[in-house]
Each structure stands twice: as structure tokens, then as C-alpha cells.
Amino acid sequence: VGPTGSGKTYLAQTLARRPRLAQARLAAGRPHHLTLLLSLRLVFGVNLAGRAGNPSGVCAGRSMTLFLHAGLPKTGSSSIQTLMFTERARLARLGIRYWDFSERHSRPLSVLFKSAEKENIRALTKRYGDPSVIRASLQRLFAEPGSVLISGEGITTLRPEQLKELQRLSGREVRVIAYVREPRSWYTSGVQQKIKTGSTFEEAVAARSYYQKRLGDLIEAYGRDRVDARLYVSSSDGKALIQDFLQALGLDPHAFD
């Protein structure tokens, strides 16, 4: 039940397309996945792509696309990055080149766009080089035809003007891939991570992360139709996540099997 324009039709259509998922979540006492579907739609106008379905059409047509895998945190980003970097030659044969400057791209992008702003980021130049070195690496990457993949959770910390500058450098249309967790799982995992890194319990539960903060600037820079928010569901071997990510790139989900 909801007022006109609250997204009832969208939610009903989503549940109709994926009744087994809805039944499984409700039977397991986890209706929060359904809440997430609706909240992302209402706040951002973002359609959440399903694991087994069509990748929402957002990543279709990848002849000259800059794919930005933006996390989000605690959604298997490291596993994706390690595999894409290790298998970058195979990925290139499939038409997408992974930026080989490093395995993970958050810090190089921070040096490029934020080194003039923050002292702690300027210190990273000792490891990654001057911003001009990183820019030159990106220019070489973008000089070759075809699609490109850049992956880093730090992409969500760039401001809209910095995100637009990255697109300008690439000369490509942008497609963002961002995995999201249902709110309870996200919050619990975040609290655990903060405690592991030294926060007290009181500090950990007081700090909260919001999808609006993480996705808002990406949507402002590129538009809602360029942001593919996908539901993260963990698995014991991580294979389902990799298959879903390949599908989001417009590739055969079993290409790396």
C-alpha cells in the first residue's frame, strides 16, 4: 500500500518477474531485499538488476564503453579486481581492457584527482608516482579502441566534476556497475568492519553509510540510466558474483569457467 507515485507498480512488476526470489526472501525472514528494490527506485530512479536476469540493458552495446566498477564496499570488490587483473589478457580478447596500472584503482584515481587537496593522498605519490604519470597511463589506455574497465570503491568518493573529467579523458560513454547489499546486511557488516579496525562498539554503531551518499554523485555526473545497481548475494565460492559481473559487462557469464 502506498500513495500515487510511490513505486507500487514497479515493486509489483519486480515481484511478478522474480516470484521465487521474493518467496525465498520472505520465507527466510529477509524482506529487506524487497525494501531495497523499492528504496533505490524511489530515491534514485535506479532499477536494481537481478542476478539471473537481463542486466537491465544498461550495459548493452559496449563497443566504446568505459565501465566503472564502483564497489560498493563489502560486496566482493577485491575478488572481482583480483580476477579481472589476473585474467586481463583473456578479458582483452573478449573486447574489454582492464587498466593494468594496478590491481585496484581507487588510490591511483585519488592521486590523480585529489592529490592537490589532501596531504595524506599526496603521500601516495611515493608509491604510485606523480599525477602526470597516472594521467599518461590512462591516456595510453584510452588511446586504444574498444571498451575499458576501471575498478575501485574510491570511485564513489569522486565529485561529479571529477567523474566528468574521467569520462572526458576516456572519450567513451560511461556505464557504472555498483553492487548493493540489503540494508540490514550492509549495516551489520559495516559495524563489524569498523570494530576490526579499532572503533569502539558505540562509535561503530553511530557511523552509518547510505546509498544516497555513495551513488548520488555518480547519478548526477552520468545520469540514472548509466548506473547499474545490482543486488549482491554472497556465495561460498564467489562464482555467482563473478558470473553476474561478467553478465553486467555484456559478456558470457561462464566466460571464465
Side-chain angles (χ1 to χ4, degrees):
V1 178
T4 301
S6 66
K8 299 189 302 296
T9 300
Y10 169 76
L11 183 58
Q13 291 172 344
T14 301
L15 299 184
R17 287 196 304 268
R18 307 194 65 204
R20 292 183 180 178
L21 173 64
Q23 292 169 3
R25 297 299 176 222
L26 292 172
R30 299 176 66 191
H32 306 277
H33 287 269
L34 310 183
T35 304
L36 179 59
L37 288 170
L38 184 56
S39 62
L40 283 171
R41 174 64 173 179
L42 293 178
V43 176
F44 301 116
V46 172
N47 291 341
L48 190 64
R51 231 175 228 294
N54 189 318
S56 75
V58 173
C59 294
R62 54 180 173 81
S63 57
M64 283 286 285
T65 301
L66 170 59
F67 290 105
L68 295 179
H69 170 228
L72 299 175
K74 309 302 290 184
T75 58
S77 297
S78 296
S79 297
I80 291 174
Q81 292 159 348
T82 297
L83 183 63
M84 296 300 110
F85 183 78
T86 302
E87 298 289 349
R88 60 189 183 277
R90 191 194 310 192
L91 187 66
R93 291 194 293 271
L94 295 173
I96 302 176
R97 285 174 297 114
Y98 191 79
W99 187 23
D100 62 1
F101 188 82
S102 62
E103 184 174 301
R104 297 169 175 78
H105 302 141
S106 291
R107 289 182 174 180
L109 290 176
S110 292
V111 171
L112 178 61
F113 289 110
K114 297 186 176 185
S115 59
E117 304 171 5
K118 298 182 179 180
E119 181 66 35
N120 63 322
I121 292 179
R122 286 200 291 272
L124 292 175
T125 59
K126 295 180 180 180
R127 176 175 179 181
Y128 295 101
D130 186 85
S132 62
V133 174
I134 298 172
R135 181 178 290 268
S137 176
L138 280 174
Q139 289 172 336
R140 289 192 297 272
L141 177 73
F142 295 143
E144 297 294 328
S147 293
V148 169
L149 171 60
I150 293 177
S151 177
E153 293 175 355
I155 289 171
T156 62
T157 69
L158 298 179
R159 298 192 303 273
E161 61 269 24
Q162 294 168 332
L163 293 166
K164 291 177 181 178
E165 171 64 10
L166 182 58
Q167 180 180 21
R168 189 194 67 77
L169 285 173
S170 76
R172 291 162 169 80
E173 68 172 14
V174 172
R175 307 290 186 179
V176 178
I177 302 171
Y179 284 92
V180 294
R181 299 177 70 141
E182 52 92 3
R184 182 175 61 179
S185 173
W186 175 296
Y187 182 66
T188 301
S189 179
V191 168
Q192 292 173 342
Q193 182 64 28
K194 288 180 174 63
I195 291 174
K196 288 179 182 178
T197 56
S199 297
T200 66
F201 178 78
E202 290 74 15
E203 291 170 338
V205 298
R208 300 189 180 187
S209 297
Y210 295 93
Y211 293 122
Q212 184 172 12
K213 179 180 178 181
R214 293 286 182 173
L215 298 178
D217 286 346
L218 289 164
I219 291 171
E220 180 180 339
Y222 302 131
R224 289 185 175 95
D225 62 329
R226 302 293 181 178
V227 178
D228 183 5
R230 306 178 72 83
L231 182 63
Y232 170 77
V233 180
S234 61
S235 60
S236 58
D237 59 2
K239 182 178 291 186
L241 174 63
I242 297 301
Q243 291 175 345
D244 187 77
F245 185 71
L246 292 173
Q247 186 180 42
L249 293 174
L251 301 175
D252 178 356
H254 302 286
F256 286 3
D257 287 358

